Amino acid sequence: MRKIEIFMMVVFFGIIHSALAQDPSDDTFGKWQFRLRGIVVAPDESADIETIGGDASIATAVVPELDISYFFDENWSLELILATARHDVEAVGTTAGDLDLGRVWLLPPTLTGQYHFTGGNFVPYVGAGINLTFFYGVDEGPVADDVQYDTSLGFALQGGLDYMLNDKWFLNIDIKRLFLSTDVTVDATSALNATVDADVDINPWIIGFGVGIKL
């Protein structure tokens, strides 16, 4: 995982450096772009659970997403992605059986540097970036007395396609992969007479479809 994180950081800052080095004198393109998507957040989860063993199961969520892009020129941009999703969480296959750990909201604002392949109505793009994930609104469920999730810094890869309907409006398909891990502490003193720590990899795939506008 450390090699992936270093590689992602190099790619992201390489994209930022290239974008900032572009000639900003040509301002005929729209500098701002807004998209509204419906997204499917599908965790590719795994966990190392101390004491009781087992693995994590995190439910898929479907939520709206807003993103805001700033274009340095026709090809290079920065995109800020904003969404929040609620997920059901279980510890499965533990020595105490399957444990319902309730629900948690994730807020992972993500900033990506993107390159857009212009030249027609179809505008594919690729990107890489970073995300900072906050966990809030925790519902501990019937087993735990308390569940705590650590805020996490992660990395993102992205690919997508804009289809221009006219000079301003377009349709969008987007796929992202977040490399996201968190440390979790479960206080289950009442049910299991134990406090359990876990290292959880969430690593969600995020698949979206939506509409956008250039300004």
Side-chain angles (χ1 to χ4, degrees), residues 36-85:
L36 181 63
R37 302 185 184 105
I39 60 172
V40 177
V41 185
D44 183 15
E45 68 274 38
S46 63
D48 180 9
I49 304 176
E50 296 182 359
T51 309
I52 61 174
D55 206 345
S57 175
I58 304 173
T60 296
V62 180
V63 297
E65 178 196 80
L66 173 68
D67 75 62
I68 304 168
S69 297
Y70 178 81
F71 280 73
F72 299 94
D73 63 16
E74 289 185 340
N75 300 110
W76 294 97
S77 70
L78 283 178
E79 179 185 77
L80 178 63
I81 302 158
L82 302 170
T84 187

Side-chain angles (χ1 to χ4, degrees), residues 130-176:
I130 56 177
N131 78 87
L132 183 65
T133 299
F134 302 93
F135 299 83
Y136 70 99
V138 178
D139 174 2
E140 294 84 0
V143 177
D145 302 306
D146 184 50
V147 182
Q148 296 182 5
Y149 299 84
D150 287 352
T151 299
S152 175
L153 177 66
F155 299 90
L157 291 176
Q158 181 182 33
L161 174 70
D162 294 328
Y163 176 71
M164 304 304 300
L165 300 173
N166 52 45
D167 289 342
K168 285 192 173 182
W169 293 94
F170 58 92
L171 300 177
N172 172 257
I173 298 174
D174 185 89
I175 300 175
K176 289 183 287 293

